[in-house]
Amino acid sequence: MARAFTDKNMDVACINFRGCCGAPTESIMQYHGGFTDDLIHFLDEYTGRQKQTPGNNMLALTEKLFLMNSHRTEKKRKPIYISGFSMGANVALKCLGDLSMDAIDKYNIRGAAVTGAPFNIGFHERQLTDFPIQRFVYAESLRKSMQNRVEILVDKFCGGDKDTDVFDYWKCRSARTIGDIEDGLIAPLYGFKDRYDYYEQSASLPVMDKIAVPVYVLNAEDDPFFNSHLFPWKQCCDRGGVAPVKLETTVDGGHLGHIFHRDDRGSEEDAPIPVSSFAPMELARFIKHVHTSNFV
C-alpha cells in the first residue's frame, strides 16, 4: 500500500498495531477493533513536530493503518490523509467519526481511503462460526493465535499467574470461538462488559455520520469475514448519506485479496519488481484526487 501512495508523490509513515510488528510490546494493553488511542497519539506527536519544523512532509499508517501527506503543497501545515485495511479500516473510520471537525481543525486531516472495513464487528460475529470453511480455514487459526498471545501476556505481565484478575486466563484457554476469547481477554482488559459491549463501543458505523472529510471505502462482496447483506449502503453520500463518504464494492476479492503487491517482469530473465495491486492503487487515486482538488 505504501508503494501506491509514494507513486502518487506522497510521503508515507507506516505504523503497526501493537504486537504486530515482530517485536514484543512493553504493555499488556494490545489493540482491538476500535482502539484509536495509538492513532490519536501518533497524530498528536506528528502535528507537534510539524509546529516545530513546518517544512516537514506528509505521512501514512499500516498493518491495517496508514497516514500520508503530500510534499508538494506549499502550506506550512501539511495535510494528512489516512488509510487502513481490515481492523485498521474500522479504527480509521471510528477515529474520524469521533473527531468530526477536529480532524480538520486540530490535525489538518483532509481525507481517508480504506479497504476491508467491517463497520461493526458484531454484524459479522457468526461468519466465522456458522460456516464450515470460514470456521476451519480462518477462525481456528486466529483462535489459536490469540490463545498463544494469551500465554505470552500472562507470563510477561502477570508473573505467570493463571488465576490473575487482569483477565480470564482459563476462559481464554478453554475458548471454542474467537468470541470466547474476546469475552475472556478483550472485555476485561479494556473495560467492556462483555464481547457484545465491545462490538457496540468499537463500531465505526454509529459515528460515520459525523465524519467531516472525504472518505472512500472499498470492500469485496465475497469477503468471507463479513455478512454482505449488512453492508451500510445508506451511509454512502450518493445514496442519501449525510457525511462525505463514498462506498464501493467489488464482486470478487475476498478479505483483502486484491490488496497485496504483485511482481512485474519485463521478461523471464528480469528480476521481479513489486508493484501495487488494484485496491491500493484505487485508494491512492482517491487520496490524490482529494488533494489535487483542494491544494493544487
Side-chain angles (χ1 to χ4, degrees):
M1 287 182 70
R3 185 181 301 275
F5 292 113
T6 56
D7 285 347
K8 296 293 185 182
N9 294 318
M10 290 188 167
D11 295 331
V12 180
C14 302
I15 297 179
N16 293 294
F17 282 162
R18 299 184 187 189
C20 295
C21 63
T25 62
E26 297 305 317
S27 169
I28 193 171
M29 306 301 285
Q30 304 292 292
Y31 71 93
H32 61 70
F35 190 71
T36 59
D37 299 43
D38 286 349
L39 176 54
I40 293 295
H41 176 74
F42 184 87
L43 290 168
D44 285 334
E45 286 291 316
Y46 179 75
T47 53
R49 293 181 185 184
Q50 265 200 325
K51 292 176 182 178
Q52 297 174 11
T53 54
N56 277 1
N57 296 330
M58 174 192 208
L59 58 143
L61 299 179
T62 181
E63 174 48 28
K64 311 167 180 195
L65 264 183
F66 297 83
L67 279 110
M68 294 74 59
N69 86 26
S70 174
H71 60 261
R72 293 198 170 182
T73 180
E74 297 301 321
K75 293 185 177 294
K76 290 184 177 181
R77 288 188 69 203
K78 305 298 180 180
I80 294 173
Y81 302 92
I82 301 177
S83 187
F85 57 89
S86 194
M87 273 196 182
N90 190 70
V91 168
L93 294 174
K94 186 176 188 304
C95 184
L96 291 173
D98 289 342
L99 288 172
S100 194
M101 283 301 299
D102 277 349
I104 301 170
D105 298 337
K106 185 174 182 179
Y107 298 112
N108 204 26
I109 298 171
R110 296 293 173 164
V114 301
T115 186
F119 302 104
N120 186 332
I121 301 172
F123 284 177
H124 319 295
E125 181 198 10
R126 306 300 305 181
Q127 287 296 112
L128 297 182
T129 59
D130 292 355
F131 300 94
I133 292 180
Q134 282 94 320
R135 185 167 67 249
F136 293 115
V137 175
Y138 301 108
E140 282 299 295
S141 176
L142 182 55
R143 178 181 62 82
K144 291 176 182 177
S145 174
M146 292 176 74
Q147 287 176 320
N148 290 337
R149 179 63 60 86
V150 166
E151 294 290 349
I152 295 172
L153 294 180
V154 78
D155 287 342
K156 184 171 183 178
F157 300 107
C158 303
D161 179 10
K162 297 178 180 180
D163 295 316
T164 176
D165 58 2
V166 177
F167 61 89
D168 194 332
Y169 170 86
W170 296 110
K171 187 166 193 170
C172 294
R173 289 310 305 168
S174 62
R176 302 288 297 275
T177 67
I178 294 169
D180 292 336
I181 300 178
E182 290 168 334
D183 270 334
L185 178 66
I186 300 298
L189 204 56
Y190 293 94
F192 301 115
K193 290 183 291 187
D194 53 31
R195 69 177 182 266
Y196 299 108
D197 185 44
Y198 157 52
Y199 299 156
E200 181 178 351
Q201 293 197 46
S202 298
S204 59
L205 186 58
V207 298
M208 283 180 63
D209 284 348
K210 299 179 181 179
I211 291 176
V213 299
V215 172
Y216 176 57
V217 182
L218 176 65
N219 278 24
E221 293 177 9
D222 67 345
D223 192 319
F225 283 15
F226 303 153
N227 185 334
S228 61
H229 299 295
L230 296 176
F231 192 76
W233 284 114
K234 66 179 181 179
Q235 302 296 133
C236 187
C237 59
D238 54 11
R239 298 197 183 195
V242 300
V245 177
K246 172 67 175 177
L247 303 180
E248 189 170 14
T249 61
T250 57
V251 175
D252 304 310
H255 190 65
L256 310 177
H258 48 202
I259 195 174
F260 299 102
H261 75 259
R262 53 191 171 84
D263 291 335
D264 188 23
R265 295 172 183 263
S267 67
E268 291 186 2
E269 291 76 25
D270 292 338
I273 302 174
V275 296
S276 295
S277 54
F278 168 72
M281 288 191 292
E282 286 297 288
L283 303 187
R285 186 167 66 90
F286 177 82
I287 293 296
K288 185 66 174 181
H289 170 72
V290 171
H291 180 73
T292 301
S293 300
N294 287 282
F295 295 100
V296 178

